[in-house]
Amino acid sequence: MTHRDRSKCKQAVRAKRPVRCKQVALGAVLLSMGLQCACGAPESRAPESAEVRHQREHDILQQLIEINTTDSSGSTTVAAQAMAQRLREAGFAAADVVVLGPNQRKGNMVARYRGLPGSNLKPILIIGHLDVVEARKEDWSTDPFRLVEQDGYFYGRGTQDMKDSDAIAVADFIRLRNEGFVPDRDIILALTADEEGGTSNGVDWLLKNHRDLIDAGFALNPDSGGVSAENGKPIAVEFEAAEKLYGDYQLLATNPGGHSSLPRPDNAIYHVTDALERLQSTEFPFELNAVTREYFTQMARIESGDIAADMRAILKSPPDPQAIARLSKDPRYNSTMRTTCVPTMLAGGHAFNALPQRAEANVNCRIFPGHSQEQIRLDLVRLFDDAKLSVRFRADTGELLDHGSGRKAMDPPPLNPGFMRALRSVSQQMWPGIPVLPIMETGASDSIFTMMADIPSYGINGVLIDRDDVRMHGRDERVKIESYYRGAEFYYLFLKALTTAKH
């Protein structure tokens, strides 16, 4: 630290002004004044060994996996506080790491990695949910809430969705700070509640109640994207550039009922099952947007034979309907080409010997960008064409509405040039020759909230998962140990490339 730096820092401390200053030798300056350094700037250190880094990455993942964060009996607050404690112990200022939420059991952690003072670049936001879907120990071959190392894999609920990425983000924050890295802008990490269960919390709640904490130029969501592989061999680095919209709809038929010995054609269960048969035999129209067109263009170079030919055929004008039909047999490609709706729950009747007075089904839809939840509800009403069957939209609160919400699937955001430059550079460094592929998220993620808040959002992580080993939400969820550690290395390099002052 120069004499001028020391002088400026002394003046700022006396005036009680915030200051960003070099930490080397600053402690002696402030101690001579009887004060403590509150600058919080990372001190540059020698790089850590891979063994040290991997141990920290392992320990953070283990801690998160072994904290139950299910909606029914878990607590994201416990996980949020554990990650906040790790960051504070690593030197992050207490004011920059907060845990907050609308109730005691569903806490969210927001941490800010301070960048260059005076930077006019808006922060980058990383979002990741801490909650996981339910998992019953009796269904698994291992304890879902213990990190088990077996056959080259980490097993545990959340190893794919998405405590692996949460742990990576925390570990990389600590690694970057330990190295004294100063990004060209602030990086915000929000580890949140209520993506996999519950309502009115998480990213949505933070945006509505604490926008200042997470406002950003764009968002990264490791819940989507990743390194797609076949038999352990990487074939593409995928990133989410668009997302479908989630919608649940109740199909309900009611009836006076009666004795089962006197059956009638007018049966509540028949009304519901007839509607579901129509749904089973009807596909929503084929659609493409800029993201899915580029996806199939690149996939046609990766695939071979008839599949590659069919992909090229659907890109023609007009698209080949037979090629569409053949590709639609693959659930991945089918979901990428259209809105999909499928029954997920069914209930009816009240007694073995009575005609049903009530029957209902839940139909879950994943809506192609450009369409609203209400538009799809009306499409279902026209498809079922049954005056005795109601189709109501199930709101996030569980309330059943005779109309869909005003929410519309967002069009793809423009691709940020700095994001793409950093992604391509690091991807080629780690997986040379592998294409970087834009995808449309066919499920749902918290990116829908950031995109609706006018924060362009991109799903990306560096964890390699085989296409035929996707176990999120399923039994024996797992991630390859090597893939996890390489995923941590990817995000570390990616964040550095993204926030080095050259964009």
Side-chain angles (χ1 to χ4, degrees), residues 127 160-162 165 220-227 238-243 439-445 447 458-462 472 491:
I127 57 174
Q160 285 190 10
D161 185 22
M162 59 171 295
S165 292
L220 306 175
N221 185 358
D223 198 17
S224 188
V227 185
E238 299 179 343
F239 71 97
E240 179 204 326
E243 181 165 314
I439 63 169
M440 179 178 68
E441 174 59 61
T442 58
S445 78
S447 292
Y458 312 105
I460 182 64
N461 70 74
M472 57 185 68
Y491 234 79

Side-chain angles (χ1 to χ4, degrees), residues 244 327-337 340 442:
K244 280 185 161 182
L327 287 177
S328 295
K329 295 177 181 179
D330 186 313
R332 294 169 298 172
Y333 300 143
N334 180 61
S335 295
T336 303
M337 295 189 293
T340 60
T442 58

Side-chain angles (χ1 to χ4, degrees), residues 40-53:
E43 180 181 353
S44 182
R45 302 177 188 170
E48 299 171 317
S49 68
E51 183 180 5
V52 170
R53 295 197 313 270

Side-chain angles (χ1 to χ4, degrees), residues 267-322:
N267 183 299
I269 291 177
Y270 290 161
H271 285 288
V272 172
T273 55
D274 286 347
L276 295 181
E277 284 184 0
R278 292 192 186 97
L279 182 64
Q280 182 182 14
S281 60
T282 305
E283 289 182 328
F284 281 80
F286 167 80
E287 296 186 71
L288 289 175
N289 58 28
V291 171
T292 58
R293 180 173 291 277
E294 178 64 17
Y295 169 78
F296 281 116
T297 298
Q298 292 204 39
M299 282 302 298
R301 300 172 188 147
I302 296 172
E303 296 283 6
S304 60
D306 292 341
I307 294 178
D310 284 342
M311 288 179 174
R312 288 189 288 269
I314 69 171
L315 297 172
K316 294 179 179 179
S317 184
D320 183 340
Q322 293 182 337

